[in-house]
Amino acid sequence: MLRRAFLQTFRQGLAQSFFKRYAVSLTETTVTHQPIETSDEAGEKSVPTQKTGDESGNTVVVAPPEFRFIYPEFLPDPAMERRNRLREKLERMDMLQRRSVIEIPEFYTGSIMAVTVADANSPNKFAKFVGICIQRGGSGLRAWFILRNVVDKQGVEILYEMYCPLIQKIEVLRLERRLDESLLYLRDALPEYSTFPMDMEPERRLNNSVVPINPLKVKLRPRPWLERWERQNLQGVEDLNLPQRFYDRAEKVAKPWEKYDLMLHYRKTIPAEEQEKIFAEVHSQLQQQELKRKLRRRRGSDNEY
Amino acid sequence: MVFHKRRWLVRRLFFNHEQIRTMSRVKRRTTHPPYWHVLKNNQRTDEKISSDNLRFVQEVIQDKYKNKSPIKGSDLDIEKTEWDPKTKRSGVIARNIGVQHMWEKDGKKVICTVLHVLDNHVIRYVPPEEYAKSVIGAKMFKNRKPLGCLVVGAEASNPERFTRQYCSLFDEVGLLPKKRLARFIVTPNAALPPCTPLTAGHFVIGQAVDVYGKTIDYGFQGVVKRWGFKGGPASHGTTKFHRRGGTIGTGRDKARVWPGQKMPGHMGSERRFNRGLKIVRINMKYNIIYVKGTVPGPTNSIVQIFDTALPRRKFTEAPPHPTYFPPEDGTLPQEDIWDSSLHVFGSPSISV
């Protein structure tokens, strides 16, 4: 009974955290220099471990439901033909090993990040790239993300594999979300929307419990475009101002029944029960790693004084 | 003109029509096992037996296959044989559980197939003279010196699924019947007594292995996917000629369709060996081998792993001969062994 009770909590928690994370807060987009509130402290406050007891009195540790958004690459590829529980478990162990060496922070599409990579052809052997994350995907050790920036009026996109050992440091300069999950339309947008200074400093966040959503509406360049943006229900794009025939054709081509297709969505996702198991498995190690990093940071700041 | 997109077909740009003619008549697949195999799977439908009788059946099974303690090297009476470069060791039955990406020490990405060595046990050893009298043995050693054969089984399962004749194959050893059996050709000095377990430790890091598997079954496929034909134009007025084969003969030379003409048909589910794959990581705790490259067959299919037949990648030093046994003094072997070329995940990031 209690087991079912905490299952409910996880799923309710999923829904609640989903809405919380998508809370549009206009005031939080402004950046002010506030006294440092380390994300780990806030993380502890906002992301509590839910410990419920079962009938025998043993505590069952359940990972907080936010893990699904912070660590989406721990969930395996849902295609059933290629799934194997043992291999997924071994892959997760390797992922945790890599995470113990380097900090892979929480980020979303729309966050501005800086990645330092070991590069033999660079003068000082390390190459740093700053950009906005326009897409992320992959599962397990194959997880990747694409950073975009405009350098010397030339748009540059780099795909980084999150667990590649050549990566020295991944830093999130501005943690925020946008109105869309994929920002590929920035390729057809005016260049100022993709330009970020290479020497950008990390910004301090006001409120660490909620990831702000930037409700920015991007202006696109005139056609031709790389994709038919009018067919994609983009929220983060200004009015496209296309002739009506484009929208008519988009309606004809659209598949409005897909949102009712339960099996399609089932096949594209990992069931909640499995997600619980997976995150419960990795939760304690991830927490330990966070604590160690926090201690190291505190010791580092103490040594400064 | 036919353009072969797949790499392994590039070699065959110049057709040897003789060879194609003779090979096209060879039957490559059957849906039934050879006639000398015993019937394996239980053909009976669910009988209505009472719960008491069911419990009795399960008690009988339990009594018959009582739990055995793990076998130590000293228990088995293995003759101390010397390894020499001409020794052929046993192979191992494993399951291909998928693919994992790893990185080398210079940062280069490497695709590694993860092979899970199942619970292999030697069922029996067939000495060379006896094996040469069997159907396959006679063909194999027609004009050669015969070698022995080790019958190895993997994946123990419930005896109720199988027929009595199939379970009787395992009676001598007293093991639960295995789902999969395989035969490995071995030299007599690499013979193993029945009930010997084979684990991932049977192999050495850095060695080359050959992996045998049945390729992915694509079913009945058209000529574009099966043979890499280009088909026809997608538009410009083409009527019903997008993925067809086109002409199948000249009309003059031989005045008939040549045997071996490439046409639609069943594709896949064929025996293939991927040779010379390097072992880059062994996990002794979970009995897992990571092999550099890919292996024939879909994920979760059974494959067989052998020491390589490629002459320049064979062993120079003695491997665990005839197989690996955990050390007698109870010390646990190193759980995760990595090849020196791979970057270990827990170690610091690579700086070139």
Side-chain angles (χ1 to χ4, degrees):
Chain A
M1 283 306 290
L2 280 166
R3 170 108 191 137
R4 200 168 294 159
F6 89 74
L7 272 180
Q8 282 264 298
T9 341
F10 182 83
R11 273 178 235 150
Q12 278 171 358
L14 272 183
Q16 282 166 14
S17 64
F18 180 83
F19 287 114
K20 211 162 68 153
R21 295 258 141 179
Y22 272 100
V24 179
S25 40
L26 291 155
T27 48
E28 273 157 316
T29 50
T30 56
V31 173
T32 54
H33 290 279
Q34 291 271 305
I36 301 160
E37 197 193 334
T38 54
S39 58
D40 319 83
E41 279 178 14
E44 273 176 33
K45 277 187 252 160
S46 62
V47 173
T49 345
Q50 299 168 28
K51 288 195 181 186
T52 57
D54 58 14
E55 280 101 21
S56 60
N58 302 325
T59 50
V60 180
V61 177
V62 175
E66 284 87 6
F67 269 36
R68 183 180 172 223
F69 305 106
I70 307 176
Y71 308 108
E73 75 271 8
F74 277 94
L75 296 175
D77 187 358
M80 273 315 287
E81 302 90 40
R82 272 176 257 125
R83 284 205 62 189
N84 184 286
R85 306 290 188 274
L86 178 58
R87 184 206 74 229
E88 286 156 20
K89 182 176 167 190
L90 293 165
E91 207 170 351
R92 263 176 260 132
M93 279 158 54
D94 285 338
M95 285 160 77
L96 289 170
Q97 284 285 301
R98 176 67 189 154
R99 272 177 181 266
S100 69
V101 175
I102 185 181
E103 189 202 347
I104 300 176
E106 174 190 359
F107 67 95
Y108 304 91
T109 16
S111 311
I112 300 165
M113 301 160 68
V115 174
T116 321
V117 172
D119 186 8
N121 304 318
S122 249
N124 51 349
K125 301 295 179 189
F126 294 115
K128 183 176 172 190
F129 187 75
V130 170
I132 182 169
C133 175
I134 58 171
Q135 208 180 27
R136 84 181 274 189
S139 56
L141 289 164
R142 292 183 299 264
W144 51 265
F145 58 92
I146 305 180
L147 293 187
R148 180 184 166 81
N149 204 338
V150 173
V151 177
D152 284 344
K153 296 186 187 169
Q154 172 65 53
V156 175
E157 286 180 14
I158 304 185
L159 187 148
Y160 290 103
E161 294 188 319
M162 274 159 72
Y163 291 89
C164 178
L166 287 169
I167 293 181
Q168 310 297 312
K169 189 174 184 194
I170 304 177
E171 209 178 1
V172 172
L173 305 173
R174 189 191 303 166
L175 177 64
E176 64 178 11
R177 293 182 99 132
R178 290 289 189 95
L179 295 168
D180 299 301
E181 281 305 312
S182 156
L183 299 178
L184 293 175
Y185 54 77
L186 288 177
R187 293 170 182 164
D188 282 327
L190 297 170
E192 57 249 30
Y193 293 104
S194 316
T195 321
F196 302 95
M198 278 298 195
D199 50 0
M200 192 166 162
E201 292 291 323
E203 291 165 10
R204 312 278 186 218
R205 283 199 293 151
L206 280 172
N207 181 2
N208 270 317
S209 61
V210 179
V211 176
I213 294 183
N214 191 345
L216 179 65
K217 296 254 183 197
V218 158
K219 219 179 277 187
L220 295 187
R221 283 199 298 253
R223 277 193 309 119
W225 293 329
L226 289 163
E227 284 183 50
R228 298 181 203 265
W229 303 118
E230 72 277 6
R231 295 190 188 182
Q232 289 185 28
N233 290 328
L234 301 172
Q235 305 299 314
V237 172
E238 257 190 33
D239 190 28
L240 296 169
N241 282 330
L242 291 169
Q244 185 57 34
R245 58 189 166 93
F246 282 87
Y247 301 111
D248 293 338
R249 186 73 188 141
E251 259 186 60
K252 271 202 182 152
V253 155
K255 297 180 187 173
W257 58 83
E258 274 193 346
K259 65 171 182 280
Y260 305 113
D261 193 347
L262 292 174
M263 282 313 293
L264 183 74
H265 294 294
Y266 179 75
R267 270 185 246 114
K268 282 191 186 170
T269 52
I270 307 287
E273 297 89 350
E274 263 208 79
Q275 285 192 29
E276 276 167 34
K277 268 194 222 158
I278 290 170
F279 287 121
E281 203 185 291
V282 301
H283 167 65
S284 58
Q285 276 219 277
L286 284 167
Q287 250 204 337
Q288 272 174 25
Q289 284 170 10
E290 272 294 308
L291 283 167
K292 274 189 200 159
R293 283 207 184 93
K294 198 178 102 178
L295 282 168
R296 234 180 283 146
R297 253 177 252 158
R298 276 228 181 100
R299 270 199 219 113
S301 64
D302 283 342
N303 288 336
E304 280 167 25
Y305 293 114
Chain B
M1 187 59 201
V2 162
F3 293 95
H4 304 280
K5 285 177 196 162
R6 273 174 269 166
R7 266 180 285 152
W8 61 272
L9 280 176
V10 168
R11 275 184 261 125
R12 302 188 54 197
L13 269 175
F14 303 102
F15 298 120
N16 178 357
H17 284 277
E18 280 295 332
Q19 188 182 24
I20 296 172
R21 272 220 308 267
T22 42
M23 286 312 289
S24 70
R25 294 172 194 274
V26 170
K27 193 160 191 214
R28 278 146 46 211
R29 305 178 200 89
T30 57
T31 43
H32 57 83
Y35 65 83
W36 61 83
H37 279 197
V38 294
L39 188 63
K40 182 173 168 188
N41 293 314
N42 223 332
Q43 304 291 299
R44 291 173 311 176
T45 48
D46 288 313
E47 287 175 352
K48 290 185 176 42
I49 53 176
S50 64
S51 49
D52 280 339
N53 286 344
L54 202 67
R55 232 180 295 131
F56 176 69
V57 164
Q58 274 155 17
E59 266 178 39
V60 167
I61 293 172
Q62 291 236 342
D63 283 336
K64 188 174 179 194
Y65 303 103
K66 269 184 236 156
N67 289 333
K68 292 193 156 204
S69 55
I71 292 163
K72 292 187 215 138
S74 50
D75 290 355
L76 295 158
D77 47 344
I78 301 177
E79 303 132 27
K80 295 279 176 188
T81 45
E82 281 296 311
W83 178 84
D84 63 81
K86 298 229 174 200
T87 313
K88 274 184 104 153
R89 292 195 307 161
S90 165
V92 132
I93 303 173
R95 174 173 278 131
N96 165 15
I97 59 175
V99 142
Q100 183 170 306
H101 294 209
M102 301 220 261
W103 285 268
E104 288 182 346
K105 286 220 161 94
D106 55 359
K108 188 172 142 210
K109 190 158 96 167
V110 153
I111 294 176
C112 300
T113 311
V114 189
L115 300 168
H116 178 212
V117 175
L118 306 165
D119 53 331
N120 286 281
H121 281 101
V122 173
I123 307 299
R124 68 177 174 280
Y125 169 68
V126 181
E129 309 81 34
E130 204 183 307
Y131 189 55
K133 292 182 200 156
S134 69
V135 175
I136 302 256
K139 264 194 244 176
M140 212 188 291
F141 305 116
K142 213 171 192 178
N143 297 316
R144 294 201 286 150
K145 188 175 159 203
L147 297 172
C149 166
L150 265 179
V151 179
V152 174
E155 222 186 334
S157 73
N158 192 357
E160 290 178 78
R161 292 160 149 254
F162 304 117
T163 54
R164 181 196 294 226
Q165 297 91 336
Y166 187 76
C167 293
S168 66
L169 296 169
F170 305 89
D171 277 343
E172 270 184 40
V173 228
L175 287 170
L176 275 169
K178 305 279 191 182
K179 259 198 208 164
R180 176 80 174 223
L181 284 172
R183 285 176 175 242
F184 296 106
I185 308 299
V186 290
T187 45
N189 68 337
L192 289 166
C195 228
T196 319
L198 298 168
T199 54
H202 181 76
F203 298 103
V204 174
I205 281 280
Q207 87 168 89
V209 288
D210 295 342
V211 181
Y212 155 77
K214 280 261 201 91
T215 51
I216 298 176
D217 194 352
Y218 292 97
F220 194 102
Q221 282 300 333
V223 113
V224 169
K225 193 178 184 77
R226 194 180 184 212
W227 298 112
F229 283 15
K230 278 195 93 175
S235 69
H236 292 301
T238 321
T239 322
K240 303 199 290 186
F241 186 72
H242 306 291
R243 296 179 71 86
R244 298 190 68 174
T247 186
I248 54 174
T250 53
R252 280 186 156 249
D253 206 23
K254 301 269 176 172
R256 59 183 168 90
V257 177
W258 287 60
Q261 175 58 43
K262 297 191 164 124
M263 286 183 158
H266 190 277
M267 177 181 161
S269 187
E270 304 212 37
R271 294 169 48 94
R272 286 287 183 266
F273 286 82
N274 273 18
R275 301 212 186 258
L277 304 175
K278 184 175 164 189
I279 294 183
V280 287
R281 183 177 166 192
I282 296 180
N283 189 320
M284 301 288 273
K285 182 178 170 196
Y286 294 98
N287 261 336
I288 300 273
I289 300 175
Y290 292 76
V291 132
K292 187 172 163 184
T294 50
V295 131
T299 312
N300 294 321
S301 67
I302 305 283
V303 297
Q304 291 169 23
I305 315 175
F306 316 79
D307 296 332
T308 195
L310 301 175
R312 281 156 74 179
R313 295 191 210 185
K314 286 194 173 161
F315 283 116
T316 40
E317 289 173 359
H321 175 81
T323 187
Y324 167 81
F325 290 106
E328 295 288 318
D329 47 3
T331 53
L332 293 165
Q334 193 189 352
E335 193 182 298
D336 211 350
I337 317 169
W338 295 71
D339 187 41
S340 53
S341 64
L342 273 199
H343 165 84
V344 182
F345 283 115
S347 61
S349 307
I350 300 170
S351 43
V352 264

